[in-house]
Amino acid sequence: MLDESINIGRVSHMIVYVGFIEDYQPKTCFLGLVELEGSTSNDLYKSLTSFLTELGLDMGYVASRGIDGASSMTGRINGLATKLKRCNPFMTSIHCMAHRTNLGLVDAFKSFPMVEEIDDIVNDIATIFTKRFKQTAILRSLQEEMGCQDLKMSHIHKIRWLSRANVLHKVFESLEPLLVFLEVHKPILYEKLGGKVSREWHGFM
């Protein structure tokens, strides 16, 4: 199972997992994080095959691979999947179901402008409390006073798919203290959260 990403140092890496059967039980292990010289299919292929060779893994024993839908991964003529299949014609390719589900949801959300509006609001809320001790202390005090959990507001991460659910949960659970805070300190955002969007949000949740 492969996926490419860029770390905070702007260096491209490919994460590699392997699934296998041992003692009749399915297992999954993290193999390593491979630094890439580039993001083309040739770069991916060269780095991956070199990494697997160092580990002594024979490509002929690889039954399938799980990848995302990027052209460098799935390109029919020169993608990584095509190059790997030349090493082992019997290898199958699986477009990661988590990727496909997320892509489907993103497309579905495009039909509902309210979703994008809510994303903007919760990200604006998180920005208010990012590295600002005074504002965070006020919210924490309101949460305690109103019997809410001490939840730290955070931004939606577009790559980490579960982040939206976590962020919305925090705002929803702290909605009352947030409204009290915003009414005093951020009235414009208070109107957005406390008005039409908030009422629709309750119905949505």
Side-chain angles (χ1 to χ4, degrees):
M1 292 167 280
L2 314 168
D3 198 10
E4 181 193 359
S5 188
I6 300 176
N7 66 14
I8 59 175
R10 309 303 297 170
V11 177
S12 294
H13 288 83
M14 179 165 53
I15 190 169
V16 185
Y17 280 84
V18 61
F20 58 96
I21 300 293
E22 184 177 65
D23 296 329
Y24 306 102
Q25 296 295 322
K27 295 188 177 182
T28 302
C29 288
F30 168 70
L31 283 189
L33 195 62
V34 183
E35 186 170 332
L36 302 173
E37 295 181 1
S39 58
T40 68
S41 59
N42 286 330
D43 294 322
L44 299 177
Y45 177 78
K46 180 181 176 181
S47 298
L48 177 64
T49 53
S50 175
F51 173 69
L52 295 180
T53 300
E54 288 178 8
L55 294 178
L57 295 178
D58 187 343
M59 192 69 72
Y61 288 99
V62 178
S64 66
R65 60 199 173 268
I67 52 180
D68 63 18
S71 59
S72 59
M73 289 282 193
T74 60
R76 193 160 50 90
I77 297 175
N78 205 34
L80 177 63
T82 303
K83 291 179 179 295
L84 292 175
K85 199 168 182 66
R86 291 172 189 149
C87 298
N88 180 353
F90 300 101
M91 190 187 305
T92 60
S93 180
I94 300 170
H95 186 177
C96 174
M97 292 306 298
H99 278 87
R100 296 183 70 179
T101 301
N102 184 65
L103 290 171
L105 288 171
V106 169
D107 286 343
F109 285 162
K110 292 176 182 177
S111 302
F112 299 92
M114 180 188 71
V115 174
E116 186 174 357
E117 190 173 358
I118 290 175
D119 281 2
D120 290 340
I121 289 174
V122 296
N123 282 330
D124 287 344
I125 289 172
T127 299
I128 294 172
F129 301 102
T130 300
K131 296 181 180 179
R132 296 177 181 174
F133 176 78
K134 184 177 179 180
Q135 286 89 329
T136 301
I138 294 172
L139 178 62
R140 185 178 293 119
S141 176
L142 289 169
Q143 288 171 328
E144 182 179 354
E145 183 180 337
M146 297 181 182
C148 300
Q149 283 184 268
D150 178 8
L151 297 174
K152 182 181 178 182
M153 301 299 107
S154 54
H155 291 87
I156 294 172
H157 196 293
K158 291 186 177 181
I159 296 177
R160 296 173 183 166
W161 306 315
L162 294 178
S163 73
R164 179 177 279 102
N166 293 332
V167 169
L168 290 174
H169 172 76
K170 290 177 182 179
V171 175
F172 184 70
E173 291 296 322
S174 294
L175 189 57
E176 197 172 350
L178 275 172
L179 286 171
V180 172
F181 175 91
L182 295 174
E183 186 175 16
V184 176
H185 301 280
K186 298 287 180 180
I188 295 178
L189 194 53
Y190 167 79
E191 291 297 327
K192 290 181 180 180
L193 185 63
K196 179 176 180 294
V197 173
S198 182
R199 288 195 296 273
E200 291 184 10
W201 189 358
H202 273 296
F204 178 72
M205 295 297 286

